[in-house]
Amino acid sequence: MKKNKETKSSAFYQQQYRQRLREQGLIKKEVWILPENTPKLLEIEKMFRQTQTNNNNSFNDKQGNNVMKKNEIWTIANLYDALINSDIFKQNFASLEIIDGIDACLHIIMHEYGDLPLFLSISNQQIIVEALLWPVDIVTEPTQFNEEVLCTRKLFPLSTIAIEKTGDGSLNYIMYGALSSSSLLSNIIYELETLSDNVIKATEAYEHFIKIN
């Protein structure tokens, strides 16, 4: 997957994200839950960030998505067409473009998450969505960090942290999610939002391991 437009680590987008939330009049509250309840908390948090009117609209949107027909197999082109006409993009909560090439992909900017960039590709019957976390060389105590990532993986539903080598040979931690290339459009949008939220949460959870210049 191409990432030539990816130049900043998730720490930058975390700062942008926090600033945007403050500008919306939102406040941060810490809660303690069982790990298996994390997906439920994510849904509740999203709902509580909206006004009562928006909550009602969100419910109606979900009802509509539930009756959407399954696409047989998504391609980059027809997925782009479907996403660009979905509410999240029509209302400018996110924007996207196609990056052409042998392995074409979608470059998605999640404006509600500090303009966090995501990359979506389709291959081998799978849709892969990923985001850059940090370069490997800015992580302190990498062995301890890797162990903590493995022990806390259930805190980030539908997402996995891995190491990937870029075209220039550098190693980076990434976070990604995978789903079937015949998934419902509503499930793909949910994956985009969940991955974005998990990137922000992972940056907060592991920031003590990251060397910030």
Side-chain angles (χ1 to χ4, degrees):
M1 188 181 300
K2 297 182 180 181
K3 301 180 187 64
N4 56 313
K5 296 191 178 185
E6 191 74 67
T7 57
K8 300 182 179 66
S9 74
S10 62
F12 170 83
Y13 299 104
Q14 179 202 45
Q15 294 172 356
Q16 298 291 101
Y17 172 71
R18 288 175 174 174
Q19 179 61 32
R20 182 163 296 181
L21 293 181
R22 285 193 290 267
E23 290 172 354
Q24 293 173 5
L26 300 175
I27 60 175
K28 182 177 180 179
K29 292 291 185 180
E30 186 175 22
V31 297
W32 296 82
I33 61 170
L34 293 172
E36 57 266 29
N37 290 327
T38 301
K40 296 178 183 177
L41 180 62
L42 178 60
E43 284 295 298
I44 293 171
E45 180 183 7
K46 288 179 179 178
M47 182 177 66
F48 281 1
R49 287 182 186 179
Q50 301 174 354
T51 64
Q52 185 62 44
T53 300
N54 286 338
N55 282 338
N56 293 334
N57 290 338
S58 178
F59 175 78
N60 292 332
D61 290 343
K62 288 183 179 179
Q63 293 294 94
N65 286 335
N66 285 336
V67 299
M68 289 176 61
K69 294 182 179 179
K70 182 178 292 186
N71 190 297
E72 290 185 3
I73 292 293
W74 290 107
T75 66
I76 287 295
N78 62 28
L79 182 54
Y80 172 89
D81 290 339
L83 286 171
I84 204 70
N85 288 302
S86 65
D87 286 344
I88 185 175
F89 291 94
K90 286 166 61 177
Q91 296 176 12
N92 295 319
F93 294 131
S95 58
L96 79 163
E97 63 176 329
I98 295 179
I99 298 180
D100 291 318
I102 296 177
D103 298 317
C105 67
L106 296 181
H107 176 227
I108 301 166
I109 302 295
M110 301 295 287
H111 300 308
E112 289 298 289
Y113 295 88
D115 291 337
L116 175 72
L118 304 178
F119 290 87
L120 182 153
S121 64
I122 303 175
S123 63
N124 299 324
Q125 307 299 310
Q126 278 193 321
I127 294 173
I128 305 293
V129 188
E130 65 181 67
L132 172 73
L133 290 177
W134 323 275
V136 168
D137 59 10
I138 71 168
V139 174
T140 63
E141 303 179 61
T143 300
Q144 183 179 345
F145 172 73
N146 291 338
E147 290 178 355
E148 183 160 337
V149 167
L150 292 175
C151 291
T152 56
R153 60 185 178 82
K154 291 184 179 180
L155 296 178
F156 310 110
L158 305 180
S159 300
T160 302
I161 294 176
I163 294 175
E164 185 176 274
K165 181 180 290 187
T166 60
D168 61 3
S170 62
L171 295 175
N172 295 281
Y173 285 97
I174 65 165
M175 179 173 275
Y176 71 93
L179 62 167
S180 168
S181 57
S182 60
S183 297
L184 292 173
L185 181 64
S186 57
N187 290 341
I188 296 172
I189 293 172
Y190 182 74
E191 176 66 41
L192 297 176
E193 293 179 326
T194 300
L195 179 64
S196 299
D197 196 74
N198 284 342
V199 167
I200 300 301
K201 286 182 167 60
T203 304
E204 294 175 345
Y206 303 132
E207 60 185 351
H208 56 289
F209 284 105
I210 310 303
K211 294 180 292 188
I212 304 296
N213 294 330

Coordinates of all heavy atoms in Angstrom, one line a residue, residues 124-203:
N124 N -6.8 -10.2 -2.1 CA -7.0 -11.5 -1.6 C -8.3 -11.6 -0.8 O -8.4 -12.1 0.3 CB -5.8 -11.9 -0.7 CG -4.5 -12.0 -1.5 OD1 -4.5 -12.4 -2.6 ND2 -3.4 -11.6 -0.8
Q125 N -9.4 -11.1 -1.3 CA -10.7 -11.1 -0.7 C -10.8 -10.3 0.6 O -11.7 -10.5 1.4 CB -11.1 -12.6 -0.5 CG -11.1 -13.5 -1.7 CD -12.0 -13.0 -2.8 OE1 -13.2 -12.8 -2.6 NE2 -11.5 -12.9 -4.0
Q126 N -9.9 -9.5 0.9 CA -9.8 -8.7 2.1 C -9.7 -7.2 1.8 O -9.1 -6.8 0.8 CB -8.7 -9.1 3.0 CG -8.9 -10.3 3.8 CD -7.8 -10.4 4.9 OE1 -6.7 -10.2 4.7 NE2 -8.2 -10.8 6.1
I127 N -10.4 -6.4 2.7 CA -10.2 -5.0 2.7 C -9.3 -4.7 3.9 O -9.5 -5.2 5.0 CB -11.5 -4.2 2.9 CG1 -12.4 -4.4 1.7 CG2 -11.3 -2.7 3.2 CD1 -13.8 -3.8 1.8
I128 N -8.2 -4.0 3.7 CA -7.2 -3.7 4.8 C -7.2 -2.2 4.9 O -7.1 -1.4 4.0 CB -5.8 -4.1 4.4 CG1 -5.7 -5.7 4.2 CG2 -4.9 -3.8 5.6 CD1 -6.1 -6.5 5.4
V129 N -7.4 -1.7 6.1 CA -7.4 -0.3 6.5 C -6.3 -0.1 7.5 O -6.2 -0.8 8.5 CB -8.7 0.2 7.0 CG1 -8.6 1.8 7.2 CG2 -9.9 -0.2 6.2
E130 N -5.3 0.8 7.2 CA -4.2 1.0 8.2 C -3.9 2.5 8.4 O -4.2 3.3 7.6 CB -3.0 0.2 7.7 CG -2.4 0.6 6.4 CD -1.2 -0.2 6.1 OE1 -1.4 -1.4 5.8 OE2 -0.1 0.3 6.1
A131 N -3.2 2.7 9.5 CA -2.7 4.0 9.8 C -1.3 3.9 10.5 O -1.0 2.9 11.2 CB -3.6 4.7 10.8
L132 N -0.5 4.9 10.2 CA 0.9 4.9 10.8 C 0.7 5.3 12.3 O 0.0 6.2 12.7 CB 1.7 5.9 10.1 CG 3.1 6.2 10.7 CD1 4.0 5.1 10.5 CD2 3.7 7.5 10.2
L133 N 1.5 4.5 13.1 CA 1.6 4.9 14.5 C 2.9 5.7 14.8 O 2.9 6.9 14.9 CB 1.6 3.7 15.4 CG 0.2 3.0 15.5 CD1 0.3 1.7 16.4 CD2 -0.9 3.9 16.1
W134 N 4.1 5.0 14.8 CA 5.3 5.7 15.0 C 6.4 4.9 14.3 O 6.3 3.7 14.1 CB 5.7 5.8 16.5 CG 4.6 6.0 17.4 CD1 4.0 7.2 17.7 CD2 3.8 5.0 18.1 NE1 3.0 7.0 18.6 CE2 2.8 5.6 18.8 CE3 3.9 3.6 18.2 CZ2 1.9 5.0 19.6 CZ3 3.0 2.9 19.0 CH2 2.0 3.6 19.7
P135 N 7.6 5.6 14.0 CA 8.8 4.9 13.5 C 9.3 4.0 14.7 O 9.2 4.4 15.8 CB 9.8 6.0 13.2 CG 8.9 7.2 13.0 CD 7.7 7.1 13.9
V136 N 9.8 2.8 14.3 CA 10.3 1.9 15.4 C 11.4 2.6 16.2 O 11.5 2.4 17.4 CB 10.8 0.6 14.7 CG1 11.6 -0.2 15.7 CG2 9.6 -0.2 14.2
D137 N 12.2 3.4 15.5 CA 13.4 3.9 16.2 C 13.1 5.0 17.2 O 14.0 5.5 17.9 CB 14.5 4.4 15.2 CG 14.0 5.5 14.3 OD1 12.9 6.0 14.5 OD2 14.7 5.8 13.3
I138 N 11.8 5.5 17.4 CA 11.6 6.5 18.4 C 10.9 5.8 19.7 O 10.5 6.5 20.6 CB 10.7 7.6 17.9 CG1 9.2 7.2 17.7 CG2 11.3 8.3 16.7 CD1 8.3 8.3 17.4
V139 N 10.8 4.5 19.6 CA 10.2 3.8 20.8 C 11.3 3.4 21.8 O 12.3 2.7 21.4 CB 9.5 2.5 20.3 CG1 9.0 1.7 21.5 CG2 8.3 2.9 19.4
T140 N 11.1 3.8 23.0 CA 12.1 3.4 24.1 C 11.7 2.0 24.6 O 10.6 1.6 24.6 CB 12.1 4.4 25.2 OG1 10.8 4.4 25.8 CG2 12.4 5.8 24.7
E141 N 12.7 1.3 25.0 CA 12.5 0.0 25.6 C 11.6 -0.9 24.7 O 10.5 -1.3 25.1 CB 11.9 0.1 27.0 CG 12.7 0.9 28.0 CD 12.1 1.0 29.3 OE1 11.9 -0.1 30.0 OE2 11.8 2.1 29.8
P142 N 12.0 -1.1 23.5 CA 11.1 -1.8 22.5 C 10.6 -3.2 22.9 O 9.5 -3.6 22.7 CB 12.0 -1.9 21.2 CG 13.4 -1.7 21.7 CD 13.3 -0.8 22.9
T143 N 11.5 -4.0 23.6 CA 11.0 -5.3 24.1 C 9.9 -5.2 25.1 O 8.9 -5.9 24.9 CB 12.2 -6.0 24.8 OG1 13.3 -6.2 23.8 CG2 11.7 -7.4 25.3
Q144 N 10.0 -4.3 26.0 CA 8.9 -4.0 27.0 C 7.7 -3.5 26.3 O 6.6 -3.9 26.6 CB 9.4 -3.1 28.1 CG 8.4 -2.9 29.2 CD 8.9 -1.9 30.3 OE1 10.0 -1.7 30.4 NE2 7.9 -1.5 31.1
F145 N 7.9 -2.6 25.4 CA 6.8 -2.0 24.6 C 6.0 -3.1 23.9 O 4.8 -3.2 23.9 CB 7.3 -1.0 23.7 CG 6.2 -0.4 22.7 CD1 5.2 0.4 23.2 CD2 6.2 -0.8 21.4 CE1 4.2 0.9 22.3 CE2 5.3 -0.4 20.5 CZ 4.3 0.5 21.0
N146 N 6.8 -4.0 23.2 CA 6.1 -5.0 22.4 C 5.3 -6.0 23.3 O 4.2 -6.4 22.9 CB 7.2 -5.8 21.6 CG 7.8 -5.0 20.5 OD1 7.2 -4.0 20.0 ND2 9.0 -5.4 20.0
E147 N 5.9 -6.3 24.5 CA 5.1 -7.1 25.4 C 3.9 -6.5 25.9 O 2.8 -7.1 26.0 CB 6.0 -7.4 26.6 CG 7.2 -8.4 26.3 CD 8.1 -8.6 27.5 OE1 7.9 -8.0 28.5 OE2 9.0 -9.5 27.4
E148 N 3.9 -5.2 26.1 CA 2.7 -4.5 26.6 C 1.7 -4.4 25.5 O 0.5 -4.5 25.8 CB 3.1 -3.1 27.1 CG 1.9 -2.3 27.6 CD 2.2 -1.1 28.5 OE1 3.4 -1.1 29.0 OE2 1.4 -0.2 28.7
V149 N 2.1 -4.2 24.2 CA 1.2 -4.2 23.1 C 0.4 -5.6 23.0 O -0.8 -5.6 22.9 CB 1.9 -3.9 21.8 CG1 1.0 -4.2 20.6 CG2 2.3 -2.5 21.8
L150 N 1.2 -6.6 23.2 CA 0.5 -8.0 23.1 C -0.4 -8.2 24.3 O -1.5 -8.8 24.1 CB 1.6 -9.1 23.1 CG 2.5 -9.1 21.8 CD1 3.6 -10.2 22.0 CD2 1.6 -9.5 20.6
C151 N -0.1 -7.7 25.5 CA -0.9 -7.9 26.6 C -2.2 -7.0 26.7 O -3.1 -7.4 27.4 CB -0.1 -7.6 27.9 SG 1.2 -8.9 28.2
T152 N -2.1 -6.0 25.9 CA -3.3 -5.0 25.9 C -4.0 -5.0 24.6 O -4.8 -4.1 24.4 CB -2.8 -3.6 26.3 OG1 -1.8 -3.2 25.3 CG2 -2.2 -3.5 27.7
R153 N -3.8 -5.9 23.8 CA -4.4 -5.9 22.4 C -6.0 -5.9 22.5 O -6.6 -5.3 21.5 CB -4.0 -7.1 21.6 CG -4.3 -8.4 22.2 CD -3.8 -9.6 21.4 NE -4.1 -10.9 22.1 CZ -5.2 -11.5 21.9 NH1 -6.2 -11.0 21.1 NH2 -5.5 -12.7 22.5
K154 N -6.6 -6.4 23.5 CA -8.0 -6.5 23.6 C -8.6 -5.1 23.9 O -9.8 -4.9 23.8 CB -8.5 -7.4 24.6 CG -8.2 -8.9 24.3 CD -8.8 -9.8 25.3 CE -8.5 -11.3 25.0 NZ -9.0 -12.2 26.0
L155 N -7.8 -4.1 24.2 CA -8.3 -2.8 24.5 C -8.7 -2.0 23.2 O -9.3 -1.0 23.2 CB -7.3 -1.9 25.2 CG -6.9 -2.4 26.6 CD1 -5.8 -1.5 27.2 CD2 -8.1 -2.5 27.5
F156 N -8.3 -2.6 22.0 CA -8.5 -1.9 20.8 C -9.2 -2.8 19.8 O -8.6 -3.5 19.0 CB -7.1 -1.5 20.1 CG -6.3 -0.7 21.1 CD1 -5.1 -1.3 21.6 CD2 -6.6 0.5 21.6 CE1 -4.3 -0.6 22.5 CE2 -5.8 1.2 22.5 CZ -4.7 0.6 23.0
P157 N -10.6 -2.9 20.0 CA -11.4 -3.8 19.2 C -11.2 -3.6 17.7 O -11.2 -2.5 17.2 CB -12.8 -3.6 19.7 CG -12.8 -2.2 20.2 CD -11.4 -2.0 20.8
L158 N -11.2 -4.7 17.0 CA -11.1 -4.8 15.5 C -9.8 -4.2 14.9 O -9.7 -4.1 13.7 CB -12.3 -4.0 14.9 CG -13.7 -4.4 15.4 CD1 -14.7 -3.5 14.7 CD2 -14.0 -5.8 15.1
S159 N -8.8 -4.0 15.8 CA -7.6 -3.4 15.3 C -6.4 -4.2 15.8 O -6.4 -4.8 16.9 CB -7.4 -1.9 15.7 OG -8.4 -1.1 15.2
T160 N -5.3 -4.2 15.0 CA -4.1 -4.9 15.3 C -2.9 -4.0 15.1 O -2.9 -3.2 14.2 CB -3.9 -6.2 14.5 OG1 -5.1 -7.0 14.6 CG2 -2.7 -7.0 14.8
I161 N -1.9 -4.1 16.0 CA -0.7 -3.4 15.8 C 0.4 -4.3 15.3 O 0.6 -5.4 15.7 CB -0.2 -2.8 17.2 CG1 -1.2 -1.7 17.7 CG2 1.2 -2.1 17.1 CD1 -0.9 -1.1 19.0
A162 N 1.2 -3.8 14.3 CA 2.2 -4.6 13.6 C 3.4 -3.6 13.2 O 3.3 -2.4 13.4 CB 1.6 -5.3 12.4
I163 N 4.4 -4.3 12.8 CA 5.6 -3.5 12.2 C 5.6 -3.7 10.7 O 5.5 -4.9 10.3 CB 6.9 -4.0 12.9 CG1 6.9 -3.6 14.4 CG2 8.1 -3.3 12.2 CD1 8.1 -4.1 15.1
E164 N 5.8 -2.7 10.0 CA 5.8 -2.8 8.5 C 7.0 -2.0 8.0 O 7.3 -0.9 8.5 CB 4.5 -2.2 8.0 CG 4.4 -2.3 6.5 CD 3.0 -1.9 6.0 OE1 2.1 -2.7 6.0 OE2 2.9 -0.7 5.6
K165 N 7.6 -2.5 6.9 CA 8.8 -1.8 6.3 C 8.2 -1.0 5.1 O 7.5 -1.5 4.3 CB 9.8 -2.8 5.8 CG 11.0 -2.2 5.1 CD 12.0 -3.3 4.6 CE 12.7 -3.9 5.8 NZ 13.8 -4.9 5.3
T166 N 8.6 0.3 5.1 CA 8.2 1.1 4.0 C 9.2 1.0 2.8 O 10.2 0.3 2.9 CB 8.1 2.6 4.4 OG1 9.4 3.0 4.9 CG2 7.1 2.7 5.6
G167 N 8.8 1.7 1.7 CA 9.7 1.7 0.5 C 11.1 2.1 0.7 O 12.0 1.6 0.0
D168 N 11.3 3.0 1.6 CA 12.7 3.5 1.9 C 13.5 2.6 2.9 O 14.6 2.9 3.2 CB 12.7 4.9 2.4 CG 12.0 5.1 3.7 OD1 11.5 4.1 4.3 OD2 11.9 6.2 4.2
G169 N 12.9 1.5 3.3 CA 13.5 0.5 4.2 C 13.3 0.8 5.7 O 13.8 0.0 6.5
S170 N 12.7 1.9 6.0 CA 12.5 2.2 7.4 C 11.3 1.3 8.0 O 10.4 0.9 7.3 CB 12.2 3.7 7.6 OG 11.0 4.0 7.0
L171 N 11.4 1.1 9.3 CA 10.4 0.3 10.0 C 9.5 1.2 10.8 O 9.9 2.1 11.5 CB 11.1 -0.7 10.9 CG 11.9 -1.8 10.2 CD1 12.6 -2.7 11.3 CD2 11.1 -2.7 9.3
N172 N 8.2 0.9 10.7 CA 7.2 1.7 11.4 C 6.2 0.8 12.1 O 5.8 -0.3 11.6 CB 6.5 2.6 10.5 CG 7.4 3.7 9.9 OD1 7.7 4.7 10.5 ND2 7.8 3.4 8.6
Y173 N 5.7 1.2 13.3 CA 4.5 0.6 13.9 C 3.3 1.1 13.2 O 3.2 2.3 12.9 CB 4.4 0.9 15.4 CG 5.4 0.1 16.2 CD1 6.6 0.7 16.6 CD2 5.1 -1.2 16.6 CE1 7.5 0.0 17.4 CE2 6.0 -1.9 17.4 CZ 7.2 -1.3 17.8 OH 8.1 -2.0 18.6
I174 N 2.4 0.2 12.8 CA 1.2 0.6 12.2 C 0.0 -0.1 13.0 O 0.2 -1.0 13.7 CB 1.1 0.2 10.7 CG1 1.1 -1.4 10.6 CG2 2.2 0.8 9.9 CD1 0.6 -1.9 9.3
M175 N -1.2 0.5 12.8 CA -2.4 -0.2 13.3 C -3.3 -0.4 12.1 O -3.4 0.5 11.3 CB -3.1 0.7 14.4 CG -4.4 0.1 14.9 SD -5.1 1.1 16.3 CE -4.1 0.4 17.7
Y176 N -3.9 -1.6 12.1 CA -4.7 -1.9 10.9 C -5.9 -2.8 11.3 O -5.9 -3.4 12.4 CB -3.9 -2.7 9.8 CG -3.5 -4.1 10.2 CD1 -4.3 -5.1 9.8 CD2 -2.3 -4.4 10.9 CE1 -4.0 -6.5 10.1 CE2 -2.0 -5.7 11.2 CZ -2.8 -6.7 10.8 OH -2.5 -8.0 11.1
G177 N -6.9 -2.8 10.4 CA -8.0 -3.6 10.6 C -8.3 -4.3 9.3 O -8.0 -3.8 8.2
A178 N -8.9 -5.5 9.3 CA -9.2 -6.3 8.1 C -10.6 -6.7 8.1 O -11.2 -7.1 9.2 CB -8.2 -7.4 8.0
L179 N -11.3 -6.7 7.0 CA -12.6 -7.2 6.8 C -12.8 -7.8 5.4 O -12.0 -7.5 4.5 CB -13.7 -6.2 7.2 CG -13.8 -4.9 6.4 CD1 -15.1 -4.3 6.8 CD2 -12.7 -3.9 6.7
S180 N -13.9 -8.5 5.2 CA -14.1 -9.1 3.9 C -14.3 -8.1 2.8 O -14.9 -7.0 3.1 CB -15.3 -10.0 4.0 OG -15.8 -10.5 2.7
S181 N -13.9 -8.4 1.6 CA -14.1 -7.5 0.5 C -15.6 -7.5 0.0 O -15.9 -6.7 -0.9 CB -13.2 -7.9 -0.7 OG -13.4 -9.2 -1.1
S182 N -16.4 -8.3 0.7 CA -17.8 -8.2 0.4 C -18.6 -7.7 1.5 O -19.8 -7.9 1.6 CB -18.4 -9.6 0.0 OG -18.2 -10.5 1.1
S183 N -17.9 -7.0 2.4 CA -18.6 -6.4 3.6 C -19.6 -5.3 3.3 O -19.5 -4.7 2.2 CB -17.6 -5.8 4.6 OG -16.7 -6.8 5.1
L184 N -20.6 -5.2 4.1 CA -21.6 -4.1 3.9 C -20.8 -2.7 4.0 O -19.9 -2.6 4.8 CB -22.6 -4.1 5.0 CG -23.6 -5.3 5.0 CD1 -24.5 -5.3 6.2 CD2 -24.5 -5.2 3.7
L185 N -21.3 -1.7 3.3 CA -20.7 -0.4 3.4 C -20.7 0.1 4.8 O -19.8 0.7 5.2 CB -21.5 0.5 2.4 CG -20.9 2.0 2.4 CD1 -19.5 2.0 1.8 CD2 -21.8 2.9 1.5
S186 N -21.8 -0.1 5.5 CA -21.9 0.4 6.9 C -20.8 -0.2 7.8 O -20.3 0.4 8.7 CB -23.3 0.1 7.5 OG -23.6 -1.3 7.4
N187 N -20.5 -1.5 7.5 CA -19.4 -2.1 8.3 C -18.0 -1.5 7.9 O -17.2 -1.4 8.8 CB -19.4 -3.6 8.0 CG -20.6 -4.3 8.7 OD1 -21.2 -3.8 9.6 ND2 -20.9 -5.5 8.2
I188 N -17.9 -1.2 6.7 CA -16.6 -0.6 6.3 C -16.4 0.8 6.9 O -15.3 1.1 7.4 CB -16.5 -0.5 4.7 CG1 -16.5 -1.9 4.1 CG2 -15.3 0.3 4.3 CD1 -16.7 -1.9 2.6
I189 N -17.5 1.6 7.0 CA -17.4 2.9 7.6 C -17.2 2.7 9.1 O -16.4 3.5 9.7 CB -18.7 3.7 7.3 CG1 -18.8 4.0 5.8 CG2 -18.8 4.9 8.2 CD1 -20.2 4.6 5.4
Y190 N -17.8 1.8 9.7 CA -17.6 1.5 11.1 C -16.1 1.1 11.4 O -15.5 1.6 12.4 CB -18.5 0.4 11.6 CG -18.4 0.1 13.1 CD1 -18.9 0.9 14.0 CD2 -17.7 -1.1 13.5 CE1 -18.8 0.6 15.4 CE2 -17.5 -1.4 14.9 CZ -18.1 -0.5 15.8 OH -17.9 -0.8 17.1
E191 N -15.5 0.4 10.5 CA -14.1 0.0 10.6 C -13.2 1.3 10.5 O -12.3 1.4 11.3 CB -13.7 -0.9 9.5 CG -12.2 -1.3 9.4 CD -11.8 -2.1 10.6 OE1 -12.5 -3.0 11.1 OE2 -10.7 -1.8 11.2
L192 N -13.5 2.2 9.6 CA -12.8 3.4 9.5 C -12.8 4.2 10.8 O -11.8 4.7 11.3 CB -13.3 4.3 8.3 CG -13.2 3.7 6.9 CD1 -13.9 4.7 5.9 CD2 -11.8 3.5 6.5
E193 N -14.0 4.4 11.4 CA -14.2 5.1 12.6 C -13.5 4.4 13.8 O -12.9 5.1 14.6 CB -15.7 5.4 12.9 CG -16.3 6.3 11.8 CD -17.8 6.5 12.1 OE1 -18.5 5.5 12.6 OE2 -18.3 7.6 11.8
T194 N -13.7 3.1 13.8 CA -13.1 2.4 15.0 C -11.6 2.4 14.9 O -10.9 2.6 16.0 CB -13.6 0.9 14.9 OG1 -15.0 0.9 15.0 CG2 -13.0 0.1 16.1
L195 N -11.0 2.2 13.7 CA -9.6 2.3 13.6 C -9.0 3.7 14.0 O -8.1 3.8 14.7 CB -9.1 1.9 12.2 CG -7.6 2.0 11.9 CD1 -6.9 1.0 12.8 CD2 -7.3 1.8 10.5
S196 N -9.7 4.7 13.6 CA -9.3 6.1 13.9 C -9.3 6.3 15.4 O -8.4 6.8 16.0 CB -10.2 7.1 13.2 OG -10.1 7.0 11.8
D197 N -10.4 5.8 16.0 CA -10.5 6.0 17.5 C -9.5 5.2 18.2 O -8.9 5.7 19.2 CB -11.9 5.5 17.9 CG -12.3 6.0 19.3 OD1 -12.6 7.2 19.5 OD2 -12.2 5.2 20.2
N198 N -9.2 4.0 17.7 CA -8.1 3.2 18.3 C -6.7 3.7 18.2 O -5.9 3.6 19.1 CB -8.2 1.8 17.7 CG -9.4 0.9 18.2 OD1 -10.0 1.3 19.2 ND2 -9.7 -0.1 17.5
V199 N -6.5 4.4 17.1 CA -5.1 5.1 16.9 C -5.0 6.1 18.0 O -3.9 6.2 18.6 CB -5.0 5.7 15.5 CG1 -3.8 6.6 15.4 CG2 -4.9 4.6 14.4
I200 N -6.0 6.9 18.2 CA -5.9 8.0 19.2 C -5.7 7.4 20.6 O -4.9 7.8 21.4 CB -7.2 8.9 19.2 CG1 -7.3 9.6 17.8 CG2 -7.1 9.9 20.3 CD1 -6.2 10.4 17.4
K201 N -6.5 6.3 20.9 CA -6.4 5.7 22.2 C -5.1 5.0 22.4 O -4.5 5.0 23.5 CB -7.6 4.7 22.4 CG -8.9 5.4 22.6 CD -10.0 4.3 22.8 CE -11.3 4.9 23.4 NZ -11.9 5.9 22.6
A202 N -4.5 4.4 21.4 CA -3.2 3.7 21.5 C -2.1 4.7 21.7 O -1.2 4.5 22.5 CB -2.9 2.9 20.2
T203 N -2.2 5.9 21.1 CA -1.2 7.0 21.3 C -1.2 7.4 22.8 O -0.2 7.7 23.4 CB -1.5 8.1 20.4 OG1 -1.5 7.7 19.0 CG2 -0.4 9.2 20.5

